[in-house]
Amino acid sequence: MSTDINTEMTTPSTTQPGGSTPHYPPHPEPQHGLPEPKGIPTGVWLAVAILSIFLLAAIVYGLLSRAAAARHLEQTTKASSVPTISITHPAVLGMSSEIALPGNTQAYNDTPIYARTNGYLKQWFVDIGQHVKQGQLMAIIETPEVDEQLQVAQADLKSVQADLALANTTSERYQNLLKSDSVSKQETDVAVSGALAKQAAVDAAEANVRRLQQLQSFERVYAPFAGIVTVRNTDIGALIDSGSATTSSTAKELFRIAAIGKLRVYVAVPETYAPAIHDGGTAALTLDEYPGQEFTGTVVRNSSAIDQSSRTLNVEVDVENPDGKLLPGAYVFAHFKIPQQVRRLSVPANALLFRAEGLQVGVVRNGRVHLQRVTIGKDNGSTLEIATGLTAEDEIVLDPSDSLTEGQQVQIANTGTVTP
């Protein structure tokens, strides 16, 4: 089979009519015939690079600014959570050979007067502010019930006395008859025993009469010692109950008498100065109502024990008061001489904390608060002298808040020193 294929159908003929070959211009070379592509100018690339750098710098600056703001906010929050305080240093008042401590005057004897019998007040003879002598009549009480009881007791006494006389006569008769064997021994013993029983009844009746007579004598109320009447709690016709005021009695005091010829002054001496106080020593007493005057007292006794709640020694100073110039219950300052000099520290009154643990002050150490317990030696009003608990180098918190706690971190605003 012939495999000749007419190529004219598949390949265009290159022969033009007339037998000539068509002429085509030569195909240009790609690298020579096409125009070269235009490149991006260098200035554009430089501008893009600069803009990129600026954009990156802005992003970095924004991130750093936000981080710095966050750190600043954290620091501000921490700083605001730490309270700011003002502190001061205790003032050194120098050396002193004398201490002045507060005390209260009391009457040497201060006694309530109660009734010892029941009845009604008939009359009273003294009133408040009146001086009385020992044994002076102060009031009379009517006791009708006691009077009647006494009459009954006296009648009973007469009755038993008559029975006793008869019993004694019978006993004597039986004893005489026994000698002649006119009566038996048994009958005689009964008669003698009866006489003894009647004697016992007479003794009991006499004791009852004496008791009622004693109660009747309490109708008159007398002053037990010389002094001044400070209280009168009764009036004419008032019902009088015997006894003293207790939970099981409704009795109340009729009068109160105070002996003010000599006064007692009780002073709480801080433990620091306790060894310097001795019985027999002297103390000068001053009062605000008598400026420039001093009253000399004598240390007569002390408790010989330190009170654990206040850490003080209770000391009694007696002062003579013949003209009654000093009054019981007055507030005084007792000035004691001490053998050795003691340095005193003073702090403002607004530095104290009053808590269940006792008097405290806030002391700043290493930026934190320590609550230090202190003992007051003298109260000067705006300032306080501290006996124990502080040193002159301590930093004391001024106007401490109630929320101040042990170990709390604080910031110090300023420092100062107390002016004595």
Side-chain angles (χ1 to χ4, degrees), residues 147-175:
D147 297 340
E148 294 296 330
Q149 291 175 4
L150 178 58
Q151 293 180 10
V152 172
Q154 290 173 342
D156 291 340
L157 175 59
K158 292 179 180 180
S159 176
V160 295
Q161 285 175 343
D163 294 340
L164 175 61
L166 178 59
N168 287 335
T169 301
T170 303
S171 175
E172 291 176 359
R173 288 175 180 174
Y174 271 78
Q175 290 178 13

Side-chain angles (χ1 to χ4, degrees), residues 229 399 411:
V229 179
D399 295 318
Q411 297 181 12

Side-chain angles (χ1 to χ4, degrees), residues 65-387:
S65 297
R66 293 185 63 180
R71 288 194 301 271
H72 179 70
L73 178 60
E74 182 180 359
Q75 294 175 356
T76 303
T77 303
K78 290 182 179 180
S80 61
S81 63
V82 178
T84 301
I85 60 170
S86 298
I87 65 171
T88 186
H89 292 276
V92 181
L93 300 183
M95 312 297 282
S96 175
S97 60
E98 180 183 282
I99 57 173
L101 301 172
N104 295 313
T105 61
Q106 295 184 16
Y108 200 81
N109 291 314
D110 190 0
T111 305
I113 307 300
Y114 291 91
R116 291 292 297 129
T117 186
N118 298 326
Y120 298 91
L121 188 71
K122 182 179 181 180
Q123 191 174 1
W124 54 265
F125 302 98
V126 295
D127 209 341
I128 60 173
Q130 184 174 343
H131 291 268
V132 295
K133 299 178 180 179
Q134 184 177 2
Q136 181 176 339
L137 181 63
M138 302 178 65
I140 297 177
I141 302 172
E142 288 184 332
T143 58
E145 294 179 353
V146 174
D147 297 340
E148 294 296 330
Q149 291 175 4
L150 178 58
Q151 293 180 10
V152 172
Q154 290 173 342
D156 291 340
L157 175 59
K158 292 179 180 180
S159 176
V160 295
Q161 285 175 343
D163 294 340
L164 175 61
L166 178 59
N168 287 335
T169 301
T170 303
S171 175
E172 291 176 359
R173 288 175 180 174
Y174 271 78
Q175 290 178 13
N176 292 330
L177 292 173
L178 180 62
K179 295 177 182 179
S180 60
D181 295 330
S182 300
V183 294
S184 65
K185 178 64 174 175
Q186 177 66 28
E187 292 175 333
T188 304
D189 292 341
V190 171
V192 173
S193 298
L196 294 175
K198 295 299 182 181
Q199 181 62 51
V202 170
D203 293 340
E206 289 177 347
N208 189 37
V209 169
R210 289 194 300 269
R211 179 183 67 83
L212 293 172
Q213 287 175 342
Q214 190 71 26
L215 287 177
Q216 192 180 52
S217 68
F218 291 143
E219 292 178 349
R220 294 178 175 269
V221 180
Y222 298 97
F225 53 83
I228 187 172
V229 179
T230 58
V231 174
R232 178 178 65 84
N233 283 330
T234 188
D235 212 336
I236 295 175
L239 178 64
I240 304 300
D241 294 318
S242 64
S244 60
T246 61
T247 56
S248 60
S249 175
T250 59
K252 65 178 181 180
E253 63 183 33
L254 305 180
F255 303 93
R256 179 178 286 270
I257 299 178
I260 63 173
K262 180 188 288 186
L263 296 181
R264 307 176 192 262
V265 179
Y266 290 98
V267 182
V269 177
E271 183 179 357
T272 304
Y273 307 113
I277 306 300
H278 303 283
D279 294 348
T282 60
L285 306 178
T286 58
L287 294 85
D288 293 339
E289 54 265 38
Y290 299 115
Q293 297 188 37
E294 288 187 354
F295 302 87
T296 303
T298 303
V299 179
V300 294
R301 61 185 61 86
N302 64 80
S303 61
S304 299
I306 300 297
D307 185 0
Q308 293 186 357
S309 61
S310 61
R311 295 298 176 185
T312 58
L313 176 71
N314 190 25
V315 176
E316 179 186 337
V317 178
D318 289 354
V319 55
E320 297 293 337
N321 188 36
D323 53 359
K325 196 171 185 179
L326 301 178
L327 300 179
Y331 184 79
V332 301
F333 276 100
H335 302 261
F336 297 94
K337 299 293 183 180
I338 53 178
Q340 58 183 359
Q341 294 182 338
V342 178
R343 188 175 69 169
R344 297 175 297 166
L345 299 178
S346 177
V347 299
N350 60 353
L352 287 182
L353 285 168
F354 298 88
R355 296 188 175 177
E357 296 80 5
L359 291 177
Q360 295 178 330
V361 296
V363 180
V364 179
R365 295 173 181 172
N366 299 323
R368 296 188 178 275
V369 174
H370 168 64
L371 299 181
Q372 177 65 41
R373 188 170 181 177
V374 296
T375 302
I376 296 178
K378 181 180 178 183
D379 187 348
N380 295 321
S382 60
T383 61
L384 300 169
E385 293 182 14
I386 302 300

